[in-house]
Amino acid sequence: MHRLGGVGLAAFERQIESQRSFAELSSELSKAQVDHLHSQLTQFRTALSHFAATHRDSIRRDPAFRHAFQQMCSSIGVDPLAGPRKGGWWAEMLGLGDWQYELGVQIVDVCVSTRERNGGVIEMSELVRVVSKLRGVSSGVITEDDVIRSIKTLQPLGAGYEVIDVGGGKKMVRSVMKELDEDQAVVLSEAQSEGGRIVEDILVSRRGWARERARAALENMLLRDGLCWLDEQDESTGRSYWVPSAMRWDE
Amino acid sequence: MSFTTHTTRSGFLLPSIHSVPPFFTEQPNPTTQSQNISQWTRLILAYARHRRLFVLRLEDAETSGGDWDEVLRNERINRRVLPSHLSAIMESMITNGQAVYEPPKQTRAVLLYWRLPEEWAEVLHSWATDTANLNTILTFYEITDPPVPSPLSDIPITLLRRVIAVLAKTGRAQVISTGRTGSGEENEGVRFFSGGK
């Protein structure tokens, strides 16, 4: 009987020898790959930095361009806010990390200062409007997209800032640690189309809710969450609810 | 619908919240209610200062035609402050030292402190200084109804008494009783001293 590799001590040595060779070869191969990858990354990074540096002003000023750039970054898996330095790569290249944080601070400012009248829920366009007013004209236009992104950077703070989709393309920003259930989202969106006023009848007729469900949702928002105000002098129903966050205020 | 400010006939700028219907209802949620009350308090004191009103009564919410209609009513949205609501607002103002029940021991009328007695004291003292009335005896009437209108014109006597008491505490005023008038009323006067603070 003749087995491959033979028998005896020599066979063991031969096996060890070949294992060693394979290991060497494999580490050589992976080293080459890593080197290649490194050089590719460096190249990519240089190109991206170059791009960012050349278009720095456009990125900071033009919301559409900024959005496109951010989309490009996310589609190639680059998180502009991640990086070795504080503020990340954006901060290094563009000072955009600071820009993003600065916007975050302004958002918090607006949310907190309007909380008294809206119970901690503010409509997105209203938020954008007030933040823009706060920033003045010179610092450029901001968009919903910027606000959403900034709110995401606020999430690690655990203050409960969250963007809620209430349907119909309307978004609201919640700045209190309260869960909004689905019914409340519906109430918010209906109130919005009514300029802030909402009554049981609207929910019953437009959404097909049972009267009890409508009443419970409204009373919860009123009594438990402080998200709406009561009007006992309503001409048609005698009792209506008003959602401050869905109301348009002129200062 | 959008909520806007409004300038009243007396030239007072009402804030946008005054055009919001639920602002005129007492809120069942305690947090919301306290916001409502504090907004009302701010509005009432600002209006009182604007029109130099010193007294707010529950009647002002019960019947129209008084000094407070522009604030306690909003005809444009057909809302008004109900007496029970006004009573709660008054109570909160008393608690926060922004008003006192006047006369005491009732809860239907308050004297508004849109300036605190301490602030009035400074106003009164600088008026006396500016008009060269230091060290002479002035009757209360001469203060509340001076020939040249002053910031103190028409200040209620009860408030004036408190204000003078503040000054007396720091040795800048002294109340002098000048006997009784023919009708039996006590005739009071006051003398101001320059006295540093």
Side-chain angles (χ1 to χ4, degrees):
Chain A
M1 217 162 118
H2 190 86
R3 273 194 280 172
L4 191 71
V7 285
L9 276 176
F12 281 116
E13 269 177 31
R14 203 162 45 240
Q15 204 180 344
I16 288 165
E17 187 64 34
S18 65
Q19 265 175 358
R20 197 181 299 136
S21 313
F22 275 125
E24 265 170 32
L25 186 64
S26 106
S27 70
E28 240 169 72
L29 272 178
S30 52
K31 191 174 174 302
Q33 272 177 338
V34 167
D35 281 349
H36 184 60
L37 211 61
H38 266 303
S39 74
Q40 266 190 331
L41 262 180
T42 324
Q43 212 177 353
F44 173 70
R45 199 183 151 80
T46 325
L48 196 61
S49 325
H50 181 69
F51 179 83
T54 340
H55 298 282
R56 185 196 193 103
D57 279 348
S58 322
I59 290 173
R60 295 194 65 159
R61 198 167 303 133
D62 182 358
F65 196 90
R66 183 163 64 237
H67 177 72
F69 186 66
Q70 274 161 343
Q71 274 207 322
M72 183 184 82
C73 282
S74 71
S75 66
I76 54 179
V78 176
D79 179 3
L81 282 177
R85 278 204 230 157
K86 190 167 151 262
W89 186 79
W90 280 110
E92 274 175 64
M93 293 321 301
L94 301 169
L96 203 60
D98 290 343
W99 186 88
Q100 198 76 257
Y101 290 140
E102 177 195 297
L103 182 58
V105 171
Q106 286 160 340
I107 290 170
V108 172
D109 186 5
V110 171
C111 286
V112 170
S113 61
T114 57
R115 198 177 284 169
E116 190 173 296
R117 71 176 184 211
N118 59 29
V121 179
I122 187 166
E123 206 238 302
M124 180 60 90
S125 61
E126 170 81 352
L127 178 62
V128 171
R129 189 177 71 88
V130 182
V131 169
S132 304
K133 210 166 100 186
L134 196 70
R135 296 171 64 85
V137 199
S138 55
S139 46
V141 187
I142 56 154
T143 62
E144 264 191 39
D145 198 58
D146 296 325
V147 171
I148 293 172
R149 200 170 294 276
S150 272
I151 287 171
K152 270 190 198 138
T153 68
L154 294 174
Q155 248 156 19
L157 298 177
Y161 282 76
E162 199 189 359
V163 181
I164 317 154
D165 215 319
V166 292
K170 295 268 186 189
K171 293 195 183 69
M172 301 204 131
V173 176
R174 179 176 59 98
S175 63
V176 283
M177 282 299 230
K178 252 179 238 163
E179 283 304 320
L180 275 189
D181 56 43
E182 269 175 46
D183 281 6
Q184 289 181 335
V186 170
V187 172
L188 285 178
S189 116
E190 285 296 337
Q192 198 134 58
S193 58
E194 291 292 313
R197 179 179 174 273
I198 184 82
V199 291
E200 288 170 22
D201 292 342
I202 292 180
L203 295 167
V204 171
S205 65
R206 287 199 207 151
R207 297 282 177 158
W209 284 11
R211 189 157 291 276
E212 289 69 31
R213 180 177 172 195
R215 186 173 306 143
L218 290 171
E219 288 292 313
N220 270 341
M221 285 177 81
L222 177 71
L223 295 171
R224 189 190 61 192
D225 306 324
L227 283 172
C228 58
W229 286 31
L230 179 67
D231 178 15
E232 282 178 326
Q233 299 176 48
D234 193 280
E235 288 91 344
S236 56
T237 60
R239 185 180 177 90
S240 68
Y241 303 78
W242 288 78
V243 183
S245 54
M247 288 150 59
R248 247 193 71 67
W249 300 79
D250 287 341
E251 297 311 317
Chain B
M1 193 190 299
S2 121
F3 305 101
T4 52
T5 55
H6 178 77
T7 308
T8 67
R9 217 169 295 156
S10 74
F12 182 73
L13 182 72
L14 289 166
S16 46
I17 190 143
H18 194 261
S19 58
V20 175
F23 187 49
F24 293 81
T25 295
E26 279 197 80
Q27 296 304 313
N29 178 307
T31 317
T32 320
Q33 170 73 347
S34 79
Q35 285 154 13
N36 178 289
I37 298 264
S38 81
Q39 299 255 28
W40 268 113
T41 302
R42 215 176 308 155
L43 179 57
I44 284 171
L45 290 176
Y47 187 72
R49 182 188 283 266
H50 170 76
R51 292 216 25 213
R52 298 183 54 81
L53 299 174
F54 290 93
V55 183
L56 177 63
R57 297 184 184 83
L58 279 190
E59 283 95 86
D60 293 316
E62 285 162 354
T63 52
S64 64
D67 282 332
W68 290 92
D69 282 3
E70 285 182 350
V71 166
L72 299 183
R73 279 152 208 278
N74 186 343
E75 307 292 347
R76 287 165 293 127
I77 55 168
N78 196 21
R79 295 289 184 281
R80 65 190 186 93
V81 174
L82 299 176
S84 60
H85 191 182
L86 186 60
S87 173
I89 297 167
M90 285 175 165
E91 206 182 307
S92 145
M93 291 174 89
I94 303 283
T95 316
N96 293 318
Q98 292 152 318
V100 284
Y101 287 126
E102 182 58 47
K105 289 178 191 144
Q106 51 81 45
T107 55
R108 289 188 58 86
V110 293
L111 179 65
L112 298 169
Y113 283 166
W114 39 273
R115 276 199 185 108
L116 293 175
E118 291 73 23
E119 293 165 335
W120 277 114
E122 297 308 317
V123 174
L124 175 58
H125 194 263
S126 54
W127 171 79
T129 311
D130 294 346
T131 51
N133 274 317
L134 294 181
N135 299 314
T136 58
I137 296 175
L138 289 169
T139 62
F140 282 2
Y141 178 75
E142 282 173 297
I143 297 171
T144 60
D145 199 4
V148 181
S150 84
L152 296 131
S153 298
D154 301 325
I155 187 171
I157 294 293
T158 44
L159 178 55
L160 184 60
R161 266 207 196 96
R162 280 169 216 261
V163 173
I164 290 170
V166 172
L167 287 175
K169 227 180 270 172
T170 51
R172 291 188 289 167
Q174 185 189 12
V175 179
I176 288 151
S177 178
T178 55
R180 286 173 191 280
T181 59
S183 56
E185 269 176 54
E186 200 175 354
N187 204 1
E188 285 171 301
V190 59
R191 179 155 41 183
F192 295 104
F193 308 105
S194 64
K197 283 209 128 183

